[in-house]
Coordinates of all heavy atoms in Angstrom, one line a residue:
M226 N -77.8 -108.5 -152.2 CA -76.4 -108.7 -152.7 C -75.5 -109.3 -151.6 O -75.7 -108.9 -150.4 CB -75.8 -107.4 -153.2 CG -74.4 -107.5 -153.7 SD -73.7 -106.0 -154.2 CE -74.0 -106.1 -155.9
A227 N -74.6 -110.1 -151.9 CA -73.8 -110.8 -150.9 C -72.6 -110.0 -150.4 O -72.0 -110.3 -149.5 CB -73.4 -112.1 -151.4
I228 N -72.3 -108.9 -151.1 CA -71.1 -108.1 -150.7 C -71.7 -107.0 -149.8 O -72.6 -106.2 -150.2 CB -70.4 -107.4 -152.0 CG1 -69.9 -108.5 -152.9 CG2 -69.3 -106.5 -151.5 CD1 -68.8 -109.4 -152.3
V229 N -71.1 -106.9 -148.6 CA -71.5 -105.9 -147.6 C -70.4 -104.8 -147.6 O -69.2 -105.2 -147.5 CB -71.6 -106.5 -146.2 CG1 -72.0 -105.5 -145.2 CG2 -72.7 -107.6 -146.3
V230 N -70.8 -103.6 -147.6 CA -69.8 -102.4 -147.5 C -69.8 -101.9 -146.1 O -70.8 -101.5 -145.6 CB -70.2 -101.4 -148.6 CG1 -69.2 -100.2 -148.6 CG2 -70.3 -102.0 -150.0
D231 N -68.6 -101.9 -145.5 CA -68.5 -101.4 -144.1 C -67.8 -100.0 -144.0 O -67.0 -99.8 -143.1 CB -67.7 -102.4 -143.3 CG -68.5 -103.7 -143.0 OD1 -69.7 -103.6 -142.9 OD2 -67.9 -104.8 -142.9
I232 N -68.1 -99.1 -144.9 CA -67.4 -97.8 -144.9 C -67.8 -97.1 -143.6 O -67.0 -96.4 -143.0 CB -67.8 -97.0 -146.1 CG1 -67.1 -97.6 -147.4 CG2 -67.4 -95.5 -146.0 CD1 -67.4 -96.9 -148.7
D233 N -69.1 -97.2 -143.2 CA -69.6 -96.6 -141.9 C -68.7 -97.0 -140.7 O -68.4 -96.2 -139.9 CB -71.0 -97.0 -141.7 CG -72.0 -96.2 -142.5 OD1 -71.6 -95.1 -143.0 OD2 -73.1 -96.6 -142.7
V234 N -68.3 -98.3 -140.7 CA -67.5 -98.8 -139.6 C -66.2 -98.0 -139.6 O -65.7 -97.6 -138.5 CB -67.3 -100.3 -139.7 CG1 -66.3 -100.8 -138.6 CG2 -68.6 -101.0 -139.6
M235 N -65.5 -97.9 -140.7 CA -64.2 -97.3 -140.8 C -64.3 -95.8 -140.5 O -63.5 -95.2 -139.9 CB -63.5 -97.5 -142.1 CG -63.1 -99.0 -142.3 SD -62.1 -99.6 -141.0 CE -60.7 -98.6 -141.1
L236 N -65.4 -95.2 -141.0 CA -65.6 -93.7 -140.7 C -65.8 -93.5 -139.2 O -65.2 -92.5 -138.7 CB -66.9 -93.2 -141.4 CG -66.8 -92.9 -142.9 CD1 -68.1 -92.7 -143.5 CD2 -65.9 -91.8 -143.2
A237 N -66.5 -94.4 -138.6 CA -66.6 -94.2 -137.1 C -65.3 -94.4 -136.4 O -64.9 -93.7 -135.5 CB -67.7 -95.2 -136.6
R238 N -64.5 -95.4 -136.8 CA -63.2 -95.7 -136.2 C -62.3 -94.5 -136.4 O -61.5 -94.2 -135.5 CB -62.6 -96.9 -136.8 CG -63.2 -98.2 -136.3 CD -62.5 -99.4 -136.9 NE -63.2 -100.6 -136.5 CZ -63.0 -101.8 -137.0 NH1 -62.1 -102.0 -138.0 NH2 -63.7 -102.9 -136.6
R239 N -62.3 -93.9 -137.6 CA -61.5 -92.7 -137.9 C -62.0 -91.4 -137.4 O -61.4 -90.4 -137.6 CB -61.1 -92.7 -139.4 CG -60.5 -94.0 -139.9 CD -59.2 -94.3 -139.3 NE -58.5 -95.4 -139.9 CZ -58.4 -96.6 -139.4 NH1 -58.8 -96.8 -138.1 NH2 -57.8 -97.6 -140.0
K240 N -63.3 -91.4 -136.9 CA -64.0 -90.2 -136.5 C -64.0 -89.2 -137.6 O -63.6 -88.0 -137.4 CB -63.4 -89.7 -135.2 CG -63.5 -90.6 -134.1 CD -62.9 -90.1 -132.8 CE -63.1 -91.2 -131.7 NZ -62.3 -91.0 -130.6
M241 N -64.4 -89.6 -138.8 CA -64.4 -88.8 -140.0 C -65.8 -88.7 -140.5 O -66.6 -89.6 -140.5 CB -63.5 -89.5 -141.1 CG -63.3 -88.6 -142.3 SD -62.2 -89.4 -143.5 CE -60.7 -89.5 -142.7
A242 N -66.1 -87.5 -141.0 CA -67.4 -87.3 -141.6 C -67.4 -87.8 -143.1 O -66.4 -87.8 -143.7 CB -67.8 -85.8 -141.6
V243 N -68.6 -88.1 -143.5 CA -68.8 -88.6 -144.9 C -68.3 -87.6 -145.9 O -67.6 -87.9 -146.9 CB -70.3 -89.0 -145.2 CG1 -70.5 -89.4 -146.6 CG2 -70.7 -90.2 -144.3
G244 N -68.7 -86.3 -145.7 CA -68.3 -85.3 -146.6 C -66.8 -85.1 -146.7 O -66.2 -84.9 -147.8
T245 N -66.1 -85.2 -145.6 CA -64.7 -85.2 -145.5 C -64.0 -86.3 -146.3 O -63.1 -86.1 -147.1 CB -64.2 -85.2 -144.1 OG1 -64.7 -84.1 -143.3 CG2 -62.6 -85.1 -144.0
L246 N -64.5 -87.5 -146.1 CA -64.0 -88.7 -146.9 C -64.2 -88.5 -148.4 O -63.3 -88.7 -149.2 CB -64.7 -90.0 -146.4 CG -64.3 -91.2 -147.1 CD1 -62.8 -91.5 -147.0 CD2 -65.1 -92.4 -146.7
A247 N -65.4 -88.0 -148.8 CA -65.7 -87.8 -150.2 C -64.7 -86.8 -150.8 O -64.2 -87.0 -151.9 CB -67.1 -87.4 -150.4
E248 N -64.5 -85.7 -150.1 CA -63.6 -84.7 -150.6 C -62.1 -85.2 -150.7 O -61.5 -85.0 -151.7 CB -63.6 -83.5 -149.6 CG -62.7 -82.3 -150.0 CD -62.8 -81.2 -149.1 OE1 -63.9 -80.9 -148.6 OE2 -61.8 -80.5 -148.8
R249 N -61.7 -85.9 -149.7 CA -60.3 -86.5 -149.7 C -60.1 -87.5 -150.8 O -59.0 -87.7 -151.3 CB -59.9 -87.0 -148.3 CG -59.7 -85.9 -147.3 CD -59.2 -86.5 -146.0 NE -59.1 -85.4 -145.0 CZ -58.9 -85.7 -143.7 NH1 -58.6 -86.9 -143.3 NH2 -58.8 -84.7 -142.9
V250 N -61.2 -88.3 -151.0 CA -61.1 -89.4 -152.0 C -61.2 -88.8 -153.4 O -60.7 -89.4 -154.4 CB -62.1 -90.5 -151.7 CG1 -62.2 -91.5 -152.9 CG2 -61.8 -91.2 -150.4
G251 N -62.0 -87.8 -153.5 CA -62.2 -87.1 -154.8 C -63.4 -87.7 -155.6 O -63.5 -87.7 -156.8
I252 N -64.5 -88.0 -154.8 CA -65.7 -88.5 -155.4 C -66.8 -87.6 -154.7 O -66.6 -87.0 -153.7 CB -66.0 -90.0 -155.1 CG1 -66.1 -90.3 -153.7 CG2 -65.0 -90.8 -155.8 CD1 -66.5 -91.8 -153.4
T253 N -68.0 -87.6 -155.4 CA -69.1 -86.8 -154.9 C -69.7 -87.4 -153.6 O -69.6 -88.7 -153.5 CB -70.2 -86.6 -155.9 OG1 -70.8 -87.9 -156.2 CG2 -69.7 -86.0 -157.2
P254 N -70.2 -86.7 -152.7 CA -70.9 -87.3 -151.6 C -72.0 -88.2 -152.0 O -72.3 -89.2 -151.3 CB -71.5 -86.0 -150.8 CG -70.5 -84.9 -151.1 CD -70.1 -85.2 -152.6
A255 N -72.7 -87.9 -153.1 CA -73.8 -88.7 -153.6 C -73.2 -90.1 -154.0 O -73.8 -91.1 -153.7 CB -74.5 -88.1 -154.7
N256 N -72.1 -90.1 -154.7 CA -71.5 -91.4 -155.2 C -71.0 -92.2 -154.0 O -71.1 -93.4 -153.9 CB -70.4 -91.2 -156.2 CG -71.0 -90.9 -157.6 OD1 -72.1 -91.2 -157.9 ND2 -70.2 -90.3 -158.4
L257 N -70.5 -91.5 -153.0 CA -70.0 -92.2 -151.8 C -71.2 -92.8 -151.0 O -71.1 -93.9 -150.5 CB -69.2 -91.2 -150.9 CG -68.7 -91.8 -149.6 CD1 -67.8 -93.0 -149.9 CD2 -68.0 -90.8 -148.8
A258 N -72.3 -92.1 -151.0 CA -73.5 -92.6 -150.3 C -74.0 -93.9 -151.0 O -74.4 -94.8 -150.4 CB -74.6 -91.5 -150.3
V259 N -74.0 -93.9 -152.4 CA -74.4 -95.1 -153.1 C -73.5 -96.3 -152.7 O -74.0 -97.4 -152.5 CB -74.3 -94.8 -154.6 CG1 -74.5 -96.1 -155.4 CG2 -75.4 -93.8 -155.1
L260 N -72.2 -96.0 -152.7 CA -71.3 -97.1 -152.3 C -71.5 -97.5 -150.8 O -71.6 -98.7 -150.5 CB -69.9 -96.6 -152.5 CG -68.8 -97.6 -152.2 CD1 -68.9 -98.9 -153.0 CD2 -67.4 -97.0 -152.4
K261 N -71.6 -96.5 -150.0 CA -71.7 -96.7 -148.5 C -73.0 -97.5 -148.2 O -73.0 -98.3 -147.3 CB -71.7 -95.4 -147.8 CG -71.7 -95.4 -146.3 CD -71.5 -94.0 -145.7 CE -72.7 -93.1 -145.8 NZ -73.7 -93.4 -144.9
N262 N -74.1 -97.2 -148.9 CA -75.3 -97.9 -148.6 C -75.6 -99.2 -149.3 O -76.6 -99.8 -149.3 CB -76.5 -96.9 -148.9 CG -76.4 -95.7 -148.0 OD1 -76.1 -95.8 -146.8 ND2 -76.7 -94.5 -148.5
G263 N -74.5 -99.7 -150.0 CA -74.6 -101.0 -150.6 C -75.4 -101.0 -151.9 O -75.8 -102.1 -152.4
R264 N -75.7 -99.9 -152.5 CA -76.4 -99.8 -153.8 C -75.6 -99.8 -155.0 O -76.1 -99.9 -156.1 CB -77.3 -98.6 -153.8 CG -78.4 -98.6 -152.7 CD -79.4 -97.5 -152.8 NE -78.8 -96.2 -153.1 CZ -78.6 -95.2 -152.2 NH1 -78.9 -95.4 -151.0 NH2 -78.0 -94.1 -152.6
A265 N -74.3 -99.7 -154.9 CA -73.4 -99.7 -156.0 C -73.3 -101.1 -156.7 O -73.3 -102.1 -156.0 CB -72.0 -99.3 -155.6
K266 N -73.2 -101.1 -158.0 CA -73.0 -102.4 -158.7 C -71.6 -102.7 -158.9 O -71.2 -103.9 -159.2 CB -73.7 -102.3 -160.1 CG -75.2 -102.1 -160.0 CD -75.9 -103.4 -159.5 CE -77.4 -103.2 -159.5 NZ -78.0 -104.4 -159.0
A267 N -70.7 -101.7 -158.8 CA -69.3 -101.9 -159.0 C -68.5 -100.8 -158.3 O -69.1 -99.8 -157.9 CB -68.9 -101.9 -160.5
V268 N -67.2 -101.0 -158.1 CA -66.4 -100.0 -157.5 C -65.0 -100.1 -158.3 O -64.5 -101.2 -158.5 CB -66.2 -100.1 -156.0 CG1 -65.5 -101.4 -155.6 CG2 -65.3 -98.9 -155.5
R269 N -64.5 -99.0 -158.7 CA -63.2 -98.9 -159.4 C -62.1 -99.2 -158.4 O -62.2 -98.8 -157.3 CB -63.0 -97.6 -160.1 CG -63.9 -97.4 -161.3 CD -63.6 -96.0 -161.9 NE -64.4 -95.9 -163.1 CZ -64.7 -94.8 -163.6 NH1 -64.2 -93.6 -163.2 NH2 -65.5 -94.7 -164.7
F270 N -61.1 -99.9 -158.9 CA -60.0 -100.2 -158.0 C -59.3 -98.9 -157.6 O -58.8 -98.8 -156.5 CB -59.0 -101.1 -158.7 CG -59.3 -102.5 -158.7 CD1 -58.7 -103.4 -159.4 CD2 -60.4 -103.0 -157.9 CE1 -59.0 -104.8 -159.4 CE2 -60.7 -104.4 -157.9 CZ -60.0 -105.3 -158.6
T271 N -59.3 -97.9 -158.5 CA -58.7 -96.6 -158.1 C -59.5 -95.9 -156.9 O -58.9 -95.3 -156.0 CB -58.6 -95.6 -159.3 OG1 -59.9 -95.5 -159.9 CG2 -57.6 -96.1 -160.3
T272 N -60.8 -96.1 -157.0 CA -61.6 -95.5 -155.9 C -61.4 -96.3 -154.6 O -61.2 -95.7 -153.5 CB -63.1 -95.6 -156.3 OG1 -63.3 -94.8 -157.5 CG2 -64.0 -95.0 -155.1
L273 N -61.3 -97.6 -154.7 CA -61.1 -98.5 -153.5 C -59.7 -98.2 -152.9 O -59.6 -98.0 -151.7 CB -61.2 -100.0 -153.9 CG -61.0 -101.0 -152.8 CD1 -62.0 -100.8 -151.7 CD2 -61.1 -102.4 -153.4
A274 N -58.7 -98.0 -153.8 CA -57.4 -97.7 -153.3 C -57.4 -96.3 -152.6 O -56.7 -96.2 -151.6 CB -56.4 -97.7 -154.5
A275 N -58.1 -95.3 -153.2 CA -58.1 -94.0 -152.5 C -58.8 -94.1 -151.2 O -58.4 -93.5 -150.2 CB -58.8 -93.0 -153.5
L276 N -59.9 -94.9 -151.1 CA -60.6 -95.1 -149.8 C -59.7 -95.7 -148.8 O -59.6 -95.2 -147.6 CB -61.8 -95.9 -150.0 CG -63.0 -95.3 -150.7 CD1 -64.0 -96.4 -151.1 CD2 -63.7 -94.3 -149.8
C277 N -58.9 -96.7 -149.2 CA -58.0 -97.4 -148.3 C -56.9 -96.4 -147.9 O -56.5 -96.4 -146.7 CB -57.4 -98.6 -149.0 SG -58.6 -99.9 -149.1
E278 N -56.4 -95.6 -148.8 CA -55.3 -94.7 -148.4 C -55.8 -93.6 -147.4 O -55.2 -93.4 -146.4 CB -54.8 -93.9 -149.7 CG -53.7 -93.0 -149.4 CD -53.1 -92.3 -150.6 OE1 -53.6 -92.7 -151.8 OE2 -52.2 -91.5 -150.5
V279 N -57.0 -93.0 -147.7 CA -57.5 -92.0 -146.8 C -57.9 -92.6 -145.4 O -57.7 -92.0 -144.4 CB -58.7 -91.3 -147.5 CG1 -59.4 -90.4 -146.5 CG2 -58.3 -90.5 -148.7
L280 N -58.5 -93.8 -145.4 CA -58.9 -94.4 -144.2 C -57.8 -95.2 -143.5 O -58.1 -95.8 -142.4 CB -60.2 -95.3 -144.4 CG -61.4 -94.5 -144.8 CD1 -62.5 -95.4 -145.3 CD2 -61.9 -93.6 -143.7
D281 N -56.7 -95.3 -144.2 CA -55.6 -96.1 -143.6 C -56.0 -97.5 -143.3 O -56.0 -98.0 -142.1 CB -54.9 -95.4 -142.4 CG -53.6 -96.1 -142.0 OD1 -53.0 -96.7 -142.8 OD2 -53.3 -96.0 -140.8
C282 N -56.6 -98.2 -144.3 CA -57.1 -99.6 -144.1 C -56.8 -100.5 -145.3 O -56.3 -100.0 -146.3 CB -58.6 -99.5 -143.7 SG -59.6 -99.0 -145.1
Q283 N -57.3 -101.7 -145.2 CA -57.2 -102.6 -146.3 C -58.5 -102.8 -147.0 O -59.6 -102.6 -146.3 CB -56.7 -104.0 -145.8 CG -55.3 -104.0 -145.2 CD -54.3 -103.7 -146.3 OE1 -54.3 -104.3 -147.4 NE2 -53.4 -102.8 -146.1
P284 N -58.6 -103.2 -148.2 CA -59.9 -103.5 -148.9 C -60.8 -104.4 -148.1 O -62.0 -104.1 -148.0 CB -59.5 -104.1 -150.2 CG -58.1 -103.6 -150.5 CD -57.5 -103.5 -149.1
G285 N -60.3 -105.4 -147.4 CA -61.1 -106.3 -146.6 C -61.7 -105.6 -145.4 O -62.6 -106.1 -144.8
D286 N -61.2 -104.4 -145.0 CA -61.8 -103.7 -143.9 C -63.1 -102.9 -144.4 O -63.9 -102.6 -143.6 CB -60.8 -102.6 -143.4 CG -59.6 -103.3 -142.7 OD1 -59.8 -104.3 -142.1 OD2 -58.5 -102.6 -142.8
L287 N -63.2 -102.8 -145.7 CA -64.3 -102.0 -146.3 C -65.4 -102.9 -146.9 O -66.5 -102.6 -147.0 CB -63.8 -101.0 -147.3 CG -62.8 -100.0 -146.9 CD1 -62.4 -99.1 -148.0 CD2 -63.5 -99.1 -145.8
L288 N -64.9 -104.1 -147.5 CA -65.8 -105.0 -148.2 C -65.7 -106.4 -147.6 O -64.6 -106.9 -147.3 CB -65.4 -105.1 -149.7 CG -65.3 -103.8 -150.4 CD1 -64.7 -104.0 -151.8 CD2 -66.7 -103.1 -150.6
R289 N -66.9 -107.0 -147.5 CA -66.9 -108.4 -147.1 C -68.0 -109.2 -147.7 O -69.0 -108.5 -148.2 CB -67.0 -108.6 -145.5 CG -68.2 -108.0 -144.9 CD -68.1 -108.0 -143.4 NE -69.1 -107.0 -142.8 CZ -70.3 -107.3 -142.5 NH1 -70.8 -108.6 -142.7 NH2 -71.1 -106.4 -142.1
W290 N -67.9 -110.5 -147.9 CA -68.9 -111.3 -148.5 C -69.7 -112.0 -147.4 O -69.2 -112.5 -146.5 CB -68.2 -112.3 -149.4 CG -69.2 -113.2 -150.1 CD1 -70.0 -112.9 -151.2 CD2 -69.6 -114.5 -149.7 NE1 -70.8 -114.0 -151.5 CE2 -70.6 -115.0 -150.6 CE3 -69.2 -115.3 -148.7 CZ2 -71.1 -116.2 -150.5 CZ3 -69.7 -116.6 -148.5 CH2 -70.7 -117.0 -149.5
E291 N -71.0 -112.0 -147.6 CA -71.9 -112.8 -146.8 C -72.9 -113.5 -147.7 O -73.4 -112.9 -148.6 CB -72.7 -111.9 -145.8 CG -72.0 -111.4 -144.7 CD -72.9 -110.6 -143.7 OE1 -74.1 -110.5 -143.9 OE2 -72.3 -110.1 -142.7
P292 N -73.2 -114.8 -147.5 CA -74.1 -115.5 -148.3 C -75.5 -114.9 -148.0 O -75.8 -114.4 -147.0 CB -74.0 -116.9 -147.8 CG -73.4 -116.8 -146.5 CD -72.6 -115.6 -146.4
D293 N -76.4 -114.9 -149.1 CA -77.8 -114.5 -148.9 C -78.4 -115.5 -148.0 O -77.9 -116.6 -147.7 CB -78.5 -114.5 -150.3 CG -78.0 -113.4 -151.2 OD1 -77.5 -112.4 -150.6 OD2 -78.1 -113.5 -152.4
A294 N -79.6 -115.1 -147.5 CA -80.3 -116.0 -146.5 C -80.5 -117.4 -147.0 O -80.5 -118.3 -146.3 CB -81.7 -115.3 -146.2
D295 N -80.8 -117.5 -148.4 CA -81.0 -118.9 -148.9 C -79.7 -119.5 -149.4 O -79.7 -120.6 -150.0 CB -82.0 -118.8 -150.0 CG -81.5 -118.0 -151.2 OD1 -80.4 -117.4 -151.2 OD2 -82.3 -117.9 -152.2
G296 N -78.5 -118.8 -149.1 CA -77.2 -119.4 -149.5 C -76.8 -119.2 -150.9 O -75.8 -119.7 -151.3
T297 N -77.6 -118.3 -151.6 CA -77.2 -118.0 -153.0 C -76.9 -116.5 -153.2 O -77.3 -115.7 -152.3 CB -78.3 -118.4 -154.0 OG1 -79.5 -117.6 -153.7 CG2 -78.7 -119.9 -153.9
D298 N -76.4 -116.2 -154.3 CA -76.2 -114.8 -154.7 C -77.4 -114.5 -155.6 O -77.4 -114.9 -156.7 CB -74.8 -114.6 -155.3 CG -74.6 -113.1 -155.6 OD1 -75.5 -112.3 -155.5 OD2 -73.4 -112.8 -156.0
A299 N -78.3 -113.7 -155.1 CA -79.6 -113.5 -155.8 C -79.4 -112.8 -157.2 O -80.2 -113.0 -158.1 CB -80.5 -112.7 -154.9
E300 N -78.3 -112.0 -157.3 CA -78.1 -111.3 -158.6 C -77.4 -112.1 -159.6 O -77.3 -111.7 -160.8 CB -77.3 -110.0 -158.3 CG -78.1 -109.0 -157.5 CD -77.4 -107.7 -157.4 OE1 -76.5 -107.4 -158.2 OE2 -77.7 -107.0 -156.4
R301 N -76.9 -113.3 -159.3 CA -76.1 -114.1 -160.2 C -77.0 -114.7 -161.3 O -78.1 -115.2 -160.9 CB -75.4 -115.2 -159.5 CG -74.5 -116.0 -160.3 CD -73.6 -116.8 -159.4 NE -72.4 -117.2 -160.1 CZ -71.3 -116.4 -160.3 NH1 -71.3 -115.2 -159.8 NH2 -70.3 -116.8 -161.0
T302 N -76.7 -114.5 -162.5 CA -77.6 -115.0 -163.6 C -76.9 -116.2 -164.3 O -77.6 -117.0 -164.9 CB -77.9 -113.9 -164.7 OG1 -76.6 -113.4 -165.2 CG2 -78.7 -112.8 -164.0
E303 N -75.6 -116.3 -164.3 CA -74.9 -117.4 -164.9 C -74.4 -118.4 -163.8 O -74.0 -117.9 -162.8 CB -73.7 -116.9 -165.7 CG -74.0 -116.0 -166.9 CD -72.8 -115.6 -167.6 OE1 -71.7 -116.2 -167.5 OE2 -72.9 -114.6 -168.4
P304 N -74.4 -119.6 -164.2 CA -73.8 -120.6 -163.2 C -72.3 -120.4 -163.0 O -71.6 -119.9 -163.9 CB -74.1 -121.9 -163.8 CG -74.4 -121.7 -165.2 CD -74.8 -120.3 -165.4
R305 N -71.9 -120.6 -161.8 CA -70.5 -120.6 -161.5 C -69.7 -121.6 -162.3 O -70.3 -122.6 -162.7 CB -70.2 -120.8 -160.0 CG -70.7 -119.6 -159.2 CD -70.5 -119.9 -157.7 NE -70.9 -118.7 -156.9 CZ -72.1 -118.7 -156.3 NH1 -73.0 -119.6 -156.4 NH2 -72.4 -117.6 -155.6
A306 N -68.4 -121.5 -162.5 CA -67.6 -122.4 -163.3 C -67.8 -123.8 -162.8 O -68.0 -124.8 -163.6 CB -66.2 -122.0 -163.3
H307 N -67.8 -124.1 -161.5 CA -68.0 -125.4 -161.0 C -69.4 -126.0 -161.1 O -69.6 -127.1 -160.9 CB -67.5 -125.5 -159.6 CG -68.3 -124.8 -158.6 ND1 -68.2 -123.5 -158.3 CD2 -69.3 -125.3 -157.8 CE1 -69.1 -123.2 -157.4 NE2 -69.8 -124.2 -157.0
E308 N -70.4 -125.1 -161.4 CA -71.7 -125.5 -161.5 C -72.1 -125.8 -163.0 O -73.2 -126.4 -163.2 CB -72.7 -124.4 -161.0 CG -72.5 -124.1 -159.5 CD -73.3 -122.9 -159.1 OE1 -73.6 -122.0 -159.9 OE2 -73.6 -122.9 -157.9
R309 N -71.3 -125.4 -164.0 CA -71.6 -125.6 -165.4 C -71.5 -127.1 -165.7 O -70.6 -127.8 -165.3 CB -70.6 -124.8 -166.2 CG -70.8 -123.3 -166.1 CD -70.0 -122.6 -167.1 NE -70.0 -121.2 -166.8 CZ -68.9 -120.5 -166.5 NH1 -67.7 -121.0 -166.6 NH2 -69.0 -119.2 -166.2
Q310 N -72.5 -127.5 -166.6 CA -72.5 -128.9 -167.0 C -71.9 -128.9 -168.4 O -72.2 -128.0 -169.3 CB -73.9 -129.4 -167.1 CG -74.5 -129.5 -165.7 CD -75.9 -130.1 -165.7 OE1 -76.4 -130.4 -166.8 NE2 -76.5 -130.2 -164.5
S311 N -71.0 -129.9 -168.7 CA -70.4 -130.0 -170.0 C -71.3 -130.7 -171.0 O -72.1 -131.4 -170.8 CB -69.1 -130.7 -169.9 OG -68.2 -130.0 -169.0

């Protein structure tokens, strides 16, 4: 997946434990681990907002896009708008 989750970076900067973050955000440690390890397929804006509030950061501090090694998004099944043929 081309979206990289940098929650570990912010946890280290804030010197906060994963369990503490999960408790303050209001999600289970297991769900936070799924997000933190890049296995999540989606994240609710309310969860993202809570993460940002607790970690005192911006969404871009937690999420970033990187192209796949071959320059494509491997999970994409539909062509992008500019790639569609009329």
Side-chain angles (χ1 to χ4, degrees):
M226 178 183 265
I228 300 296
V229 178
V230 181
D231 287 328
I232 291 176
D233 282 338
V234 173
M235 291 307 298
L236 282 170
R238 287 182 183 165
R239 302 298 186 250
K240 297 179 181 163
M241 185 182 297
V243 174
T245 302
L246 179 61
E248 184 178 320
R249 289 185 183 174
V250 169
I252 61 176
T253 66
N256 283 339
L257 182 57
V259 168
L260 180 60
K261 185 173 75 77
N262 295 323
R264 295 188 317 260
K266 296 288 182 183
V268 61
R269 290 183 177 157
F270 282 167
T271 54
T272 302
L273 183 58
L276 287 165
C277 290
E278 182 177 357
V279 171
L280 293 169
D281 188 28
C282 66
Q283 294 294 312
D286 296 326
L287 301 176
L288 303 172
R289 62 187 160 89
W290 178 81
E291 283 188 2
D293 290 337
D295 62 1
T297 64
D298 186 350
E300 293 187 20
R301 186 167 202 80
T302 57
E303 295 181 18
R305 292 178 177 95
H307 71 275
E308 296 172 336
R309 292 187 191 123
Q310 295 178 0
S311 299

